[in-house]
Amino acid sequence: MRLHLPSIDHEELEEIREVLASGYLTQGAKTQELEQALAKLTGKEFAFGMSSCTTALHLSLVALGIGPGDEVLVADFTFPATANVVVQQGATPVLVDIDLDTFTMDPDNLRARITGRSKAIIPVHAFGCSADMDPIVQVAEEHGLAIIEDAACAIGATYKGRPCGSIGDLGCFSFHPRKVITTGEGGAIVTDRPELAERIQILRNHGGVRTGYWYQYEAAGFNYRLSDVLGALGVAQMRKLASLNAQKRTLAKQLRELVSEIPGVRPPMDPPWGDHIYQSFVILLDEGLDRDRVVKELRNRDIEATLGTYAVHAQPFYQREYGYATGDLPRSAGAFSRSVALPFYAQMTDEDLEFVAAALKIVMQGAWKWRQRLSTRAG
Ligand SMILES: *Cc1c(COP(=O)(O)O)cnc(C)c1O
């Protein structure tokens, strides 16, 4: 059973066919339509299609003017791109520990890591679960910091009724195939701030400003555009977003019930502050169990499980460059070593869910036995 399957059908093909027939393949009308749909969904004034969420996060930092000497506070339990873009700007990523119930940035740890050089905060809405934004916004306001929401996995998720990605100064989304909706590769930025929007618009397209028939180059910009072929995919995918998310919330409830009685397994839950959309269904194993072996045994049973995501501070680059040691951020380190992402996507049937849960139950029985054997040997 695959870890993830995007929901693609004839609608995407029809949208792409129009673009191919038009002969105009780079960013154009379809990407604009996708941007309008994203602006509407998030209630933001400006939306920009981007080549990925990584380039969206990077351009957000550039638009904010973040560079050498600046510190950016980044949730540690995330795909490393969230922190890599800070390094790319010559700024220093300051990694912040998480809360284990939601896998999102711990506001108290955030507060403890603020310095005079702090410039921005990047909270991550992990696996489709909103971070606790109110206390994060409060810290940002107290210290005059910008907020870039990494909503790569959270299109359509909410925090106290507000869409994820719409709360900070900038919100970034991903359309990678493992995310909520996909364009193959792609991403987007939303914002309400006109001066940031203007910079993003110009820098996304080489730094050019149109003057009559051609451009004048006002900055040394990037090519971070989203092709209209991919924009067309996004238009069709956006139409399905609400139903995909609703379906997955129902499936998540079912799968949670199936696995919640298994000893040593803590399934994901809705946070007290909003709707989790379960981009991934990530369980946390009890301490002392061999997670890697659980994943391997699941794979032996044709279930493509994997780890939840990465603890950035435990990656060789961050240890070498910034002196982190694994465990410096203990809850993120725990999530990195104890989380398992189970196969989860909208087309899963009741039988699929039962197959996954039954296999997990058997594998977990084994996990407790290995632990016993290990502790007997150690004792
Ligand atoms: C996938 C992901 C990214 C990177 O997205 P791309 O579109 O693949 O560049 C960034 N942050 C998080 C939390 C992600 O899950």
Side-chain angles (χ1 to χ4, degrees):
M1 178 142 328
R2 295 262 296 270
L3 177 64
H4 184 78
L5 256 186
S7 298
I8 303 279
D9 58 33
H10 63 94
E11 286 190 43
E12 281 77 8
L13 265 177
E14 283 309 313
E15 292 287 348
I16 286 185
R17 202 187 305 276
E18 278 180 42
V19 176
L20 296 182
S22 79
Y24 187 89
L25 306 192
T26 188
Q27 186 180 292
K30 289 294 177 190
T31 298
Q32 201 174 2
E33 199 179 330
L34 171 61
E35 291 170 343
Q36 281 159 359
L38 281 166
K40 183 155 176 250
L41 175 82
T42 54
K44 303 306 266 188
E45 186 140 358
F46 308 99
F48 299 94
M50 300 286 299
S51 54
S52 71
C53 185
T54 304
T55 56
L57 290 164
H58 182 229
L59 195 48
S60 297
L61 291 170
V62 177
L64 288 167
I66 284 166
D70 297 336
E71 292 180 355
V72 179
L73 298 119
V74 179
D76 187 61
F77 189 52
T78 184
F79 189 69
T82 317
N84 289 348
V85 293
V86 177
V87 178
Q88 292 296 339
Q89 271 313 96
T92 304
V94 175
L95 302 171
V96 178
D97 211 351
I98 56 161
D99 150 54
L100 270 184
D101 288 335
T102 60
F103 297 124
T104 61
M105 182 179 269
D106 169 18
D108 292 330
N109 196 241
L110 168 67
R111 196 176 280 280
R113 283 168 195 262
I114 302 280
T115 75
R117 288 185 298 280
S118 304
K119 284 285 163 13
I121 308 171
I122 312 186
V124 177
H125 304 303
F127 314 126
C129 177
S130 174
D132 188 6
M133 292 303 293
D134 279 349
I136 294 172
V137 168
Q138 198 184 334
V139 171
E141 283 175 356
E142 279 168 28
H143 297 272
L145 312 179
I147 295 179
I148 304 167
E149 293 175 71
D150 182 341
C153 302
I155 305 180
T158 56
Y159 177 76
K160 299 186 180 174
R162 298 161 71 190
C164 284
S166 75
I167 300 159
D169 298 87
L170 301 131
C172 298
F173 300 106
S174 174
F175 304 130
H176 179 277
R178 247 204 89 188
K179 307 304 163 88
V180 184
I181 54 172
T182 187
T183 60
E185 295 277 4
I189 307 178
V190 294
T191 185
D192 268 341
R193 290 179 51 183
E195 78 286 9
L196 297 179
E198 191 187 351
R199 278 179 222 144
I200 291 165
Q201 169 112 29
I202 294 170
L203 290 169
R204 174 179 62 169
N205 190 21
H206 303 285
V209 177
R210 204 178 184 110
T211 53
Y213 287 119
W214 39 71
Y215 286 84
Q216 190 160 294
Y217 289 86
E218 299 286 351
F222 309 94
N223 177 358
Y224 280 176
R225 294 181 308 247
L226 183 67
S227 142
D228 231 39
V229 182
L230 303 184
L233 266 172
V235 166
Q237 289 273 288
M238 277 299 280
R239 288 199 291 263
K240 300 174 181 171
L241 176 68
S243 72
L244 282 174
N245 279 342
Q247 235 169 318
K248 282 170 77 186
R249 279 179 57 76
T250 305
L251 293 176
K253 191 159 172 276
Q254 282 174 259
L255 187 54
R256 179 161 57 236
E257 273 161 25
L258 290 170
V259 303
S260 62
E261 298 302 313
I262 302 175
V265 170
R266 200 213 64 191
M269 306 269 280
D270 276 350
W273 50 74
D275 281 354
H276 196 320
I277 53 161
Y278 303 94
Q279 170 264 334
S280 290
F281 191 94
V282 177
I283 60 173
L284 187 69
L285 305 186
D286 278 4
E287 273 177 68
L289 297 172
D290 186 343
R291 189 274 314 272
D292 294 2
R293 187 155 172 181
V294 167
V295 167
K296 195 171 139 231
E297 295 278 330
L298 285 170
R299 287 186 177 229
N300 287 344
R301 290 167 185 273
D302 197 27
I303 290 174
E304 194 192 0
T306 186
L307 49 66
T309 192
Y310 296 87
V312 175
H313 84 278
Q315 303 312 308
F317 173 81
Y318 289 87
Q319 302 204 333
R320 219 166 47 230
E321 289 295 313
Y322 303 101
Y324 287 103
T326 304
D328 283 353
L329 284 74
R331 292 185 298 275
S332 177
F336 178 46
S337 64
R338 289 158 51 205
S339 59
V340 179
L342 296 174
F344 197 68
Y345 47 90
Q347 307 91 310
M348 283 176 87
T349 62
D350 292 356
E351 292 73 42
D352 292 336
L353 297 177
E354 279 158 23
F355 177 66
V356 170
L360 182 65
K361 190 172 178 183
I362 294 171
V363 168
M364 285 301 292
Q365 280 164 2
W368 286 105
K369 284 195 198 115
W370 313 323
R371 181 168 105 149
Q372 247 171 8
R373 232 174 283 148
L374 280 176
S375 55
T376 321
R377 224 181 285 160

